[in-house]
Amino acid sequence: MTDEQESMQPSGVWATAVGVARVRALETERENALFRDPLAQAFATAGGLWPSSPPLPDDEAARRRRLAVSYSIVIRTKFLDDLLEQASASGVRQVVLLGAGMDSRAFRIDWPEGTRLFEVDTPAPLEFKASVLRQEQAVARCERVTVAVDLREDWPAALAAAGHDPNVPTAWIAEGLLIYLPEDAVELLLARISAQSAAGSRMGLTLGSRGVIERFGADAVPGSAASMWVSEMPEDPAGWLAGHGWEADCHTLRECGAAYGRPLSTSPQREERPGGLISAVRR
């Protein structure tokens, strides 16, 4: 960890992005990894979570929760990687990562020529990330544009000023983001995305499943990711998105994990409704 990184150590919601990087680094080390993220370990190290994370409660329930969260991060990463590759294959050359955190897709995906990728996040995580990228001498595989703005502010104006063109299709990614926003903020975010999306745009969302806050957040350690969760997916995710002009395919982590050869060995504790992982097209 450099002095620069130590002076900007993660805190609050954006600190969870470093935890996500640690999970991606662990997945990258697997022989049968669903993806490879060569920068994840550097992000986790700079954030103090590598080679090990701080000690957590060691009871069985806490262990199961940690495993469940790690599994969801791995599966959603693969799901959204696939969505972006499909969007690129369809001709989309404009990508926006909302709440980008330590996402390294600009560096690890083979993007078609002409792809412009915008990373939208608050200044602190973008500065922390930039210090790691400089240290690793990382080179993006597309045109990468960072947009330092809080998503509670007028981020569409900041995105437009950075060069985003709402008149051509965009692939939008909101990964591990909506669960931290209250419902009215989720609605505003989706309305703003829709207003900036030409026909043919794609969108990938991850939503907290129904009951996840009750199961994971009730006794969550203060400051942990689960302690900051505030919203779950709507009763009818596809209908909700249709109301905003999107045609959505909704999936569960369990079905996607099985399709990727990483099935869950445990039976569901309750009915699992599709909607935790969503791919959508703007019509």
Side-chain angles (χ1 to χ4, degrees):
M1 184 187 305
T2 66
D3 292 341
E4 179 185 17
Q5 291 158 3
E6 192 167 3
S7 69
M8 57 176 79
Q9 276 300 284
S11 62
V13 172
W14 85 263
T16 64
V18 178
V20 171
R22 180 176 183 273
V23 172
R24 289 177 174 154
L26 291 169
E27 176 66 17
T28 298
E29 292 189 329
R30 290 179 62 125
E31 183 178 349
N32 63 339
L34 295 182
F35 56 85
R36 305 281 180 189
D37 187 342
L39 289 170
Q41 185 175 318
F43 292 135
T45 299
L49 295 184
W50 194 270
S52 61
S53 61
L56 295 169
D58 199 26
D59 61 276
E60 181 61 21
R63 188 187 70 83
R64 288 199 304 269
R65 286 196 294 271
R66 291 198 301 273
L67 290 174
V69 170
S70 295
Y71 180 84
S72 70
I73 290 169
V74 169
I75 300 304
R76 82 188 193 198
T77 300
K78 167 64 173 169
F79 177 83
L80 295 173
D81 281 359
D82 289 353
L83 182 151
L84 287 170
E85 290 174 2
Q86 292 160 8
S88 292
S90 74
V92 176
R93 297 292 180 267
Q94 195 167 234
V95 179
V96 178
L97 309 179
L98 296 170
M102 300 303 110
D103 191 299
S104 69
R105 290 184 172 98
F107 302 86
R108 64 179 181 81
I109 289 179
D110 291 324
W111 297 101
E113 184 177 353
T115 298
R116 175 182 284 185
L117 183 148
F118 300 87
E119 295 189 7
V120 182
D121 213 326
T122 53
L126 289 177
E127 290 169 9
F128 175 89
K129 185 175 189 176
S131 72
V132 176
L133 295 174
R134 286 193 297 269
Q135 172 187 297
E136 297 299 308
Q137 299 182 332
V139 177
R141 299 184 179 185
C142 60
E143 181 184 354
R144 173 177 176 262
V145 182
T146 58
V147 184
V149 64
D150 193 308
L151 290 173
R152 293 170 295 186
E153 299 171 358
D154 187 5
W155 62 264
L159 187 61
H164 176 261
D165 184 353
N167 296 309
V168 300
T170 302
W172 302 87
I173 299 295
E175 178 178 4
L177 170 65
L178 302 188
I179 199 168
Y180 295 101
L181 302 177
E183 289 185 10
D184 59 343
V186 172
E187 286 292 335
L188 177 59
L189 185 76
L190 185 57
R192 285 173 160 177
I193 290 172
S194 301
Q196 309 301 313
S197 297
S201 291
R202 307 295 182 98
M203 180 166 59
L205 303 177
T206 65
L207 299 173
S209 59
R210 303 295 295 182
V212 71
I213 295 176
E214 176 187 347
R215 297 197 308 276
F216 285 71
D219 57 353
V221 177
S224 66
S227 71
M228 295 181 275
W229 293 348
V230 294
S231 72
E232 300 174 351
M233 70 182 187
E235 288 287 346
D236 178 13
W240 170 60
L241 287 166
H244 287 275
W246 296 85
E247 183 178 311
D249 289 322
C250 304
H251 310 272
T252 65
L253 282 167
R254 185 177 294 271
E255 71 180 76
C256 287
Y260 299 149
R262 196 71 65 81
L264 281 170
S265 58
T266 56
S267 301
Q269 296 181 342
R270 62 184 70 193
E271 179 188 2
E272 295 182 326
R273 302 178 187 176
L277 299 173
I278 295 176
S279 61
V281 178
R282 182 73 167 169
R283 300 304 186 188

